[in-house]
Amino acid sequence: MSLIPRLVVAYDFSDPARRAFELGVFMGRQLKAEVHVVTVLDSRESDSDDAGKELDDLRQLLEMRTCGTVQADDVELSCHALSGHPAEAVISMAREIDAPLIICGTTGKGTVARTLLGSVSHELVHKSGAIVMSVP
């Protein structure tokens, strides 16, 4: 049994997130781990009346951009579209499936932007209790 049987890739459709996904697939293959790709519809920015449809559309887009691009004969991939605060939703998913590793992209915000806007990768490192790999 692998020390890391499951891992989560936080995906926001950015270039760093794509690199994080590619690393997650590689590590999933090497560790024989399930790879759970998660994207989050920020509940602060979505219209609650259309949230269900938005989540379905987002999950389909996630499938097309990630899981659907990889030959999955030797790795188990799952795509999840969640609603909520991005870092909290990713942490919740990791805890729910007992994933000891979270891989995310980092946008490279400067200190001022990170202080004013916050950083999902920063929150994951400090709040998740999991190993967090941040990919530039």
Side-chain angles (χ1 to χ4, degrees), residues 117-133:
L117 302 173
S119 162
V120 172
S121 58
H122 186 266
E123 281 189 66
L124 293 174
V125 167
H126 292 283
K127 295 180 179 177
S128 71
I131 300 164
V132 177
M133 295 179 73

Side-chain angles (χ1 to χ4, degrees), residues 56-76:
D56 286 343
D57 292 347
L58 191 59
R59 189 194 53 73
Q60 288 177 7
L61 182 60
L62 180 66
E63 285 268 351
M64 287 187 329
R65 295 270 178 91
T66 61
C67 299
T69 66
V70 174
Q71 185 172 352
D73 297 352
D74 56 349
V75 65
E76 188 175 333

Side-chain angles (χ1 to χ4, degrees), residues 28-71:
R29 286 184 170 130
Q30 298 303 309
L31 298 168
K32 307 265 187 276
E34 298 170 16
V35 178
H36 294 264
V37 186
V38 180
T39 194
V40 181
L41 178 63
D42 193 330
S43 57
R44 299 169 295 188
E45 298 174 6
S46 97
D47 180 7
S48 62
D49 294 338
D50 294 331
K53 181 173 179 359
E54 285 181 82
L55 278 175
D56 286 343
D57 292 347
L58 191 59
R59 189 194 53 73
Q60 288 177 7
L61 182 60
L62 180 66
E63 285 268 351
M64 287 187 329
R65 295 270 178 91
T66 61
C67 299
T69 66
V70 174
Q71 185 172 352

